[in-house]
C-alpha cells in the first residue's frame, strides 16, 4: 500500500487500466471453457433453451454417460493418443538432428539448406498437391501416413536450430577433445542442454497433433482410424439426425449440445493435464531460442 | 614425456592471414605461456595445436608425430577453456568422468581415477554437486580435473583465469603452477595478462600481429627485451620510453633529450645523430645520486601510493615518465621531488624507426 501511494496519479491510472484490460482478456479466454463445461453438465433441455450462462442448469452427467458408453468414442480417443505420441516422437526424431545439422557452421551449403527449410514456412505446395502426394505414396487412409506426413515443421526446426546456435561452442569443442563423435556430441551434450527448447517443441507437437482435424478428415476414410476431433465433427453433424438419439433423448436429460460439450471437455482434458508440467520449459524455450548469448 | 613442435605454421581465414609462419619448439615437461594483446594470434595458435582449427600451412608435431590431419580426440591433448565449458546437466564427478566414459573406460577405473583427481584438486566433497552450485574457483578446478583425468601428453590452457576475480586469480595461478610441478606434463598456456605469464612460465612466447616477437625465460624478457613491443608489454607498469638523439664524445655514447644529456651503457650499437628511444624501467629509477647515473630533472604530477611502493607520475620535457619507488612508510617524502637519476647499466636503447633493441651485449636475466 505504501508503494501504491508513491505512484503518481498518471501511473495509478495506467496501472488500473492495465489491470482492467488483463482482467477482461482473462475473462474472454476463460469463459468459453467455463461455458462448455457448464453446458456439458446441464440437462439437454436447459442447454437447448439457451439457459446456461456460467454454471450448470439441472446438473446431470447423462451426456458423459452417453459418450463414455460409445465404443467409437474410446476408439477415436485411442487413435488420437497414437497420433499424438507417435507423431510427436517421429517429429522429435526428425527435427532434432535436422536442427543440429543446420546449426553447425561446417555443414556444406548451410545457407542454402536453411533457406530451403525456412521457405516452406511462407510458401508450400498447397492442399491438392499434398493430397496427391500422399495418395501416390500410398498413405491415404493410413495411420502411419498421419504420423509421418506431418512430422516435420519448419518453425520447430528453426526454433531448435536457434537454440543450438546459442549454446557456446566450447561445449562442443570440449566434448570433441574428450573423444566424442558427432552423434555423442548431439546426444550427450546438445540434447540435455536444449531441454527447454525441446520441451517447447514437444508441447507444440502434442497440441497440434491432439487438435489435428482437417487432414485427418481428408486423408482417413475408415471409421476405426479417425481421431477424436473428427469423431467430434461426425457427432455434431449426425447426432440429432439419428433415430437412436431421437429416441433416447426424449427425456431431455441430454441433447446434441450437451454431448458435443462433453466430448470437447474430454478432448481438452489431457492437454490441460500435461501443460502445467511443461509450462516452465515452454516460456523459457520460446525466449531462449531467439536469443544469442 | 612429450614435446610440441611448430614449424612455419600459418593460419588464414579467406584472404586474411592471422598467423604468419611461426616456429616454436616446446620441450617435454615445459610450461610455456603464449602472451600478447587481443587478436595477436595466441588463441588461434593454441587451437591449432588442439586440432580445433585447421592449419593453413606448416606442420605441428606432438611427441614427434605430425598431427596436421589428426582429429582433436586422437592428439592426446586436453584443454581447459576460458568459460570452463562444464556440462551444467552433469555432476562434478560426471563432468570429470565424461572423457573416460566416452572412451569406454571400465567403470571401476573411472571411479578410481575420478576419486584420485578430486583428491588432488580438493574436490572430493563436491563430487555430487552440479557446476551451478560451485564457486568460480571450484568450477575452474573441475575444468582442470576433466583435463588431467585422461593423463594427456599435453595440457592446453586458453585464458583459464580470465573469468575470476583478482584474488582468486592469484590463488589459482599458484595452484596451476603447483599442479604442473607435481604432474610434470608439457603445458601451453594462453593469456593476455603479463603477470600471469611472468609467474607461471618456464618460457614466455610474446606474440603480436600473428608473429612471435620474442621467446625467453620471464627474466630474459624483462631484462633484455628484443624490441619496443616486448619492452612495453612485459613489466608492470610498462617501461618508460624517452625520445632523443645520439651524441658521441670522449665519455662514450649519450642521448640528448633536448638539453638533458643521458649517458648510455658502453655495449650499445648506435650511430651519431641516430634517433632512439631510451627505455627505463620504473623500478630502476634512482631517487638519490650515484656514480654512473645521470641526474635528470622532472616535474612531478601525481603520487599513487600502493602500500610499500608508490607510483610517481612525472614528465621529462613533456614526455610522460613513471617511477616506482619504495614509500618507506611515508608518501610525503616524495613531495618536492624534482630530480631523478638514471643508472647507465639499466638503460635500454631502441631504434626509433624499427623498434629493435640496440644493446649488443645482452645481460643474462637468469
Amino acid at each position: 500500500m505504501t508503494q501504491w501511494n508513491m505512484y503518481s496519479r498518471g501511473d495509478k491510472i495506467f496501472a488500473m487500466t492495465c489491470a482492467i484490460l488483463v482482467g477482461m482478456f482473462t475473462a474472454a479466454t476463460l469463459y468459453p471453457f467455463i461455458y462448455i463445461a457448464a453446458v456439458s453438465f446441464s440437462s439437454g433441455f436447459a442447454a437447448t433453451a439457451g439457459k446456461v450462462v456460467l454454471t450448470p442448469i439441472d446438473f446431470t452427467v447423462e451426456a458423459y454417460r452417453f459418450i463414455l458408453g460409445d465404443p467409437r468414442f474410446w476408439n477415436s480417443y485411442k487413435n488420437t493418443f497414437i497420433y499424438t505420441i507417435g507423431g510427436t516422437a517421429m517429429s522429435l526424431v526428425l527435427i532434432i538432428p535436422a536442427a543440429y545439422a543446420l546449426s553447425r557452421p561446417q555443414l556444406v551449403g548451410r545457407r542454402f539448406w536453411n533457406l530451403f527449410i525456412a521457405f516452406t514456412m511462407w510458401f508450400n505446395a498447397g492442399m491438392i498437391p499434398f493430397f496427391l502426394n500422399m495418395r501416390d505414396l500410398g498413405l491415404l487412409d493410413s495411420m502411419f501416413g498421419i504420423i509421418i506426413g506431418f512430422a516435420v515443421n519448419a518453425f520447430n526446426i528453426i526454433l531448435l536450430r536457434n537454440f543450438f546456435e546459442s549454446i557456446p561452442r566450447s561445449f562442443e569443442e570440449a566434448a570433441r577433445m574428450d573423444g566424442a563423435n558427432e552423434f555423442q556430441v548431439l546426444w550427450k551434450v546438445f540434447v540435455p542442454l536444449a531441454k527447454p527448447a525441446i520441451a517447447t517443441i514437444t508441447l507444440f507437437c502434442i497440441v497440434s497433433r491432439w487438435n489435428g482435424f482437417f487432414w485427418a478428415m481428408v486423408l482417413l476414410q475408415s471409421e476405426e482410424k479417425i481421431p477424436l476431433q473428427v469423431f467430434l465433427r461426425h457427432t455434431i453433424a449426425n447426432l440429432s439426425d439419428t433415430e437412436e438419439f431421437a429416441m433416447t433423448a426424449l427425456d431431455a436429460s441430454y441433447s446434441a449440445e450437451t454431448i458435443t460439450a462433453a466430448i470437447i471437455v474430454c478432448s481438452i482434458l489431457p492437454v490441460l493435464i500435461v501443460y502445467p508440467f511443461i509450462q516452465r520449459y515452454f516460456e523459457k524455450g520460446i525466449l531462449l531460442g531467439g536469443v544469442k548469448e | 614425456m612429450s614435446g610440441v613442435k611448430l614449424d612455419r605454421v600459418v593460419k588464414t581465414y579467406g584472404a586474411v592471414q592471422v598467423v604468419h609462419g611461426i616456429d616454436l619448439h616446446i620441450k617435454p615437461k615445459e610450461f610455456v605461456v603464449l602472451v600478447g594483446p587481443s587478436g595477436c594470434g595466441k588463441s588461434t595458435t593454441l587451437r591449432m595445436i588442439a586440432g580445433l582449427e585447421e592449419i593453413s600451412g606448416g606442420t605441428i608435431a606432438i611427441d614427434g608425430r605430425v598431427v596436421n590431419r589428426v582429429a582433436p580426440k586422437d592428439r592426446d591433448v586436453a584443454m581447459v577453456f576460458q568459460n570452463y565449458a562444464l556440462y551444467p546437466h552433469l555432476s562434478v564427478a560426471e563432468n570429470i568422468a565424461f572423457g573416460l566414459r566416452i572412451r569406454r573406460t571400465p567403470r571401476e577405473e573411472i571411479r578410481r581415477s575420478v576419486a584420485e583427481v578430486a583428491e588432488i584438486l580438493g574436490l572430493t566433497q563436491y563430487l555430487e554437486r552440479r557446476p551451478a552450485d560451485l564457486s568460480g574457483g571450484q568450477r575452474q578446478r573441475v575444468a582442470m580435473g576433466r583435463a588431467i583425468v585422461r593423463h594427456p601428453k599435453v595440457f592446453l590452457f586458453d585464458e583459464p583465469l580470465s573469468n575470476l576475480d583478482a584474488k582468486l586469480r592469484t590463488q589459482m595461478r599458484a595452484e596451476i603452477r603447483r599442479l604442473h610441478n607435481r604432474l610434470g606434463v608439457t603445458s601451453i598456456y594462453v593469456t593476455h595478462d603479463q603477470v600471469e605469464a611472468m609467474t607461471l612460465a618456464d618460457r614466455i612466447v610474446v606474440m603480436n600481429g600473428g608473429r612471435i616477437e620474442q621467446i625467453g625465460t620471464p627474466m630474459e624478457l624483462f631484462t633484455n627485451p628484443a624490441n619496443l613491443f616486448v619492452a612495453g608489454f612485459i613489466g608492470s607498469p610498462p617501461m618508460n620510453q624517452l625520445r632523443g638523439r645520439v651524441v658521441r664524445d670522449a665519455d662514450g655514447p649519450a642521448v640528448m633529450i633536448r638539453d638533458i644529456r643521458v649517458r648510455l651503457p658502453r655495449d650499445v650499437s648506435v650511430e651519431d645523430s641516430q634517433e632512439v628511444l631510451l627505455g627505463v624501467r620504473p623500478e630502476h629509477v634512482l631517487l638519490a645520486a650515484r656514480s654512473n647515473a645521470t641526474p635528470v630533472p622532472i616535474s612531478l604530477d601525481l603520487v599513487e601510493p600502493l602500500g610499500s611502493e608508490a607510483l610517481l607520475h612525472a614528465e621529462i620535457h613533456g614526455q610522460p615518465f613513471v617511477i616506482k619507488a619504495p614509500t618507506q612508510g611515508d608518501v610525503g617524502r616524495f613531495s618536492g621531488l624534482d630530480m631523478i637519476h638514471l643508472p647507465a647499466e639499466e638503460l635500454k636503447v631502441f631504434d626509433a624507426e624499427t623498434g629493435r633493441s640496440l644493446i649488443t651485449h645482452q645481460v643474462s636475466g637468469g
Side-chain angles (χ1 to χ4, degrees):
Chain A
M1 201 62 202
T2 321
Q3 253 192 343
W4 177 251
N5 289 333
M6 285 164 63
Y7 289 143
S8 70
R9 195 180 139 82
D11 286 344
K12 282 178 186 171
I13 292 171
F14 179 75
M16 281 162 70
T17 311
C18 287
I20 291 166
L21 286 174
V22 169
M24 284 166 64
F25 182 76
T26 308
T29 312
L30 272 181
Y31 183 68
F33 287 95
I34 295 167
Y35 174 74
I36 287 291
V39 169
S40 72
F41 287 109
S42 298
S43 70
F45 176 74
T48 312
K51 288 182 178 174
V52 182
V53 179
L54 203 61
T55 52
I57 306 291
D58 306 330
F59 184 88
T60 173
V61 292
E62 280 306 308
Y64 287 95
R65 194 167 288 162
F66 180 85
I67 59 158
L68 297 180
D70 186 343
R72 290 173 304 169
F73 168 80
W74 289 111
N75 186 56
S76 62
Y77 219 112
K78 179 199 78 188
N79 289 342
T80 297
F81 266 103
I82 291 171
Y83 295 137
T84 302
I85 294 168
T88 303
M90 181 67 79
S91 293
L92 293 177
V93 164
L94 296 174
I95 286 170
I96 291 172
Y100 177 71
L102 290 172
S103 71
R104 300 297 84 199
Q106 65 266 32
L107 176 71
V108 179
R110 182 170 174 240
R111 268 180 72 117
F112 168 77
W113 292 117
N114 273 301
L115 190 68
F116 189 72
I117 287 173
F119 187 79
T120 64
M121 285 171 69
W122 296 284
F123 305 100
N124 56 51
M127 200 169 74
I128 305 298
F130 184 77
F131 178 84
L132 296 175
N133 201 13
M134 293 293 276
R135 187 196 65 187
D136 294 345
L137 289 168
L139 294 174
L140 284 188
D141 200 28
S142 154
M143 291 183 82
F144 181 68
I146 295 290
I147 289 173
I148 191 78
F150 307 92
V152 176
N153 175 297
F155 177 78
N156 288 340
I157 291 179
I158 287 165
L159 180 81
L160 193 56
R161 182 206 65 186
N162 287 349
F163 195 93
F164 282 154
E165 280 176 352
S166 74
I167 293 173
R169 216 172 149 202
S170 52
F171 282 117
E172 179 194 349
E173 291 174 345
R176 266 187 216 294
M177 296 210 65
D178 276 339
N181 58 32
E182 203 75 60
F183 179 76
Q184 287 168 320
V185 170
L186 170 61
W187 187 245
K188 289 183 183 289
V189 180
F190 275 68
V191 168
L193 290 176
K195 231 160 56 177
I198 292 172
T200 304
I201 61 168
T202 303
L203 190 66
F204 281 154
C205 289
I206 287 174
V207 172
S208 107
R209 290 290 181 161
W210 189 267
N211 294 328
F213 162 69
F214 178 75
W215 282 108
M217 199 179 73
V218 172
L219 297 175
L220 298 172
Q221 281 95 49
S222 311
E223 178 92 6
E224 68 272 15
K225 291 177 184 169
I226 61 168
L228 194 58
Q229 304 302 333
V230 179
F231 174 73
L232 178 63
R233 160 77 175 72
H234 287 182
T235 307
I236 293 168
N238 303 330
L239 209 50
S240 51
D241 299 338
T242 63
E243 198 178 327
E244 175 205 18
F245 180 75
M247 295 294 290
T248 51
L250 274 177
D251 61 355
S253 59
Y254 54 84
S255 67
E257 284 84 0
T258 60
I259 286 170
T260 304
I263 297 175
I264 292 171
V265 170
C266 289
S267 75
I268 62 175
L269 216 52
V271 177
L272 286 180
I273 292 168
V274 168
Y275 183 74
F277 294 102
I278 323 186
Q279 189 203 11
R280 65 194 176 105
Y281 290 117
F282 186 65
E283 289 162 2
K284 210 173 160 189
I286 282 183
L287 280 177
L288 288 175
V291 178
K292 247 188 144 131
E293 284 175 46
Chain B
M1 282 296 157
S2 324
V4 178
K5 195 172 180 188
L6 279 70
D7 194 10
R8 278 178 273 172
V9 171
V10 172
K11 179 67 189 175
T12 54
Y13 292 106
V16 184
Q17 193 169 69
V18 293
V19 175
H20 307 279
I22 60 172
D23 293 306
L24 177 63
H25 185 195
I26 297 162
K27 289 173 269 185
K29 296 191 181 185
E30 199 175 17
F31 198 121
V32 166
V33 175
L34 307 184
V35 69
S38 296
C40 71
K42 56 190 188 299
S43 281
T44 308
T45 304
L46 190 82
R47 291 169 60 81
M48 286 193 286
I49 296 169
L52 297 172
E53 297 278 355
E54 274 186 39
I55 67 170
S56 313
T59 55
I60 295 178
I62 298 173
D63 201 14
R65 179 174 71 126
V66 174
V67 293
N68 288 16
R69 293 184 179 279
V70 176
K73 67 186 171 81
D74 300 320
R75 294 189 181 201
D76 206 2
V77 297
M79 187 154 162
V80 178
F81 291 85
Q82 185 174 4
N83 64 356
Y84 319 132
L86 299 179
Y87 308 121
H89 57 288
L90 301 181
S91 67
V92 168
E94 288 166 333
N95 263 286
I96 295 173
F98 187 84
L100 299 178
R101 286 219 174 116
I102 290 280
R103 287 162 198 264
R104 297 185 185 281
T105 308
R107 196 167 290 211
E108 184 50 33
E109 200 181 319
I110 292 178
R111 201 193 54 73
R112 210 175 42 244
S113 300
V114 170
E116 193 184 311
V117 166
E119 179 67 35
I120 292 172
L121 295 167
L123 289 169
T124 307
Q125 55 185 317
Y126 306 114
L127 283 175
E128 296 312 313
R129 288 200 194 169
R130 294 283 169 96
D133 303 325
L134 302 177
S135 68
Q138 287 163 344
R139 285 183 208 178
Q140 188 53 63
R141 279 204 285 269
V142 178
M144 287 198 285
R146 204 169 59 181
I148 66 177
V149 77
R150 287 202 281 117
H151 301 294
K153 285 178 183 164
V154 180
F155 284 144
L156 306 174
F157 297 90
D158 188 6
E159 307 210 31
L161 305 184
S162 57
N163 286 346
L164 304 180
D165 62 50
K167 193 177 168 193
L168 204 52
R169 206 180 305 161
T170 311
Q171 192 186 325
M172 289 303 296
R173 211 166 60 201
E175 281 191 33
I176 288 176
R177 186 64 224 199
R178 268 187 221 111
L179 198 67
H180 177 262
N181 293 345
R182 180 172 176 173
L183 302 173
V185 177
T186 312
S187 300
I188 308 172
Y189 188 106
V190 160
T191 181
H192 61 267
D193 181 347
Q194 58 93 22
V195 178
E196 255 173 53
M198 293 289 282
T199 50
L200 280 169
D202 292 328
R203 278 195 304 156
I204 296 176
V205 179
V206 182
M207 292 185 70
N208 183 31
R211 291 189 173 83
I212 292 177
E213 296 281 353
Q214 191 175 0
I215 304 173
T217 65
M219 287 315 292
E220 274 167 8
L221 264 55
F222 184 77
T223 318
N224 300 315
N227 54 42
L228 272 175
F229 180 80
V230 178
F233 200 82
I234 300 292
S236 177
M239 186 182 274
N240 292 296
Q241 296 169 14
L242 296 169
R243 190 170 284 271
R245 204 169 279 281
V246 174
V247 289
R248 279 182 181 277
D249 56 21
D251 289 342
V255 167
M256 291 301 295
I257 303 165
R258 284 216 226 154
D259 58 334
I260 307 167
R261 181 191 180 88
V262 182
R263 286 181 62 188
L264 292 182
R266 293 208 170 265
D267 49 0
V268 61
S269 164
V270 287
E271 289 167 18
D272 219 7
S273 301
Q274 184 178 356
E275 198 175 343
V276 295
L277 285 161
L278 196 62
V280 192
R281 292 254 176 234
E283 47 275 1
H284 289 159
V285 177
L286 303 173
L287 301 186
R290 203 189 73 181
S291 65
N292 210 25
T294 310
V296 174
I298 59 162
S299 92
L300 187 62
D301 173 40
L302 176 72
V303 177
E304 282 184 328
L306 302 173
S308 63
E309 291 170 322
L311 294 182
L312 317 181
H313 295 264
E315 277 190 1
I316 298 174
H317 280 321
Q319 301 189 56
F321 197 88
V322 177
I323 303 148
K324 197 174 190 178
T327 56
Q328 296 170 352
D330 177 23
V331 187
R333 66 189 286 258
F334 302 120
S335 65
L337 181 72
D338 58 1
M339 190 68 80
I340 56 167
H341 304 268
L342 304 181
E345 72 275 11
E346 299 290 3
L347 298 182
K348 308 295 167 198
V349 188
F350 302 93
D351 185 293
E353 210 171 296
T354 63
R356 271 205 215 118
S357 172
L358 298 170
I359 303 283
T360 51
H361 173 69
Q362 302 284 299
V363 183
S364 170

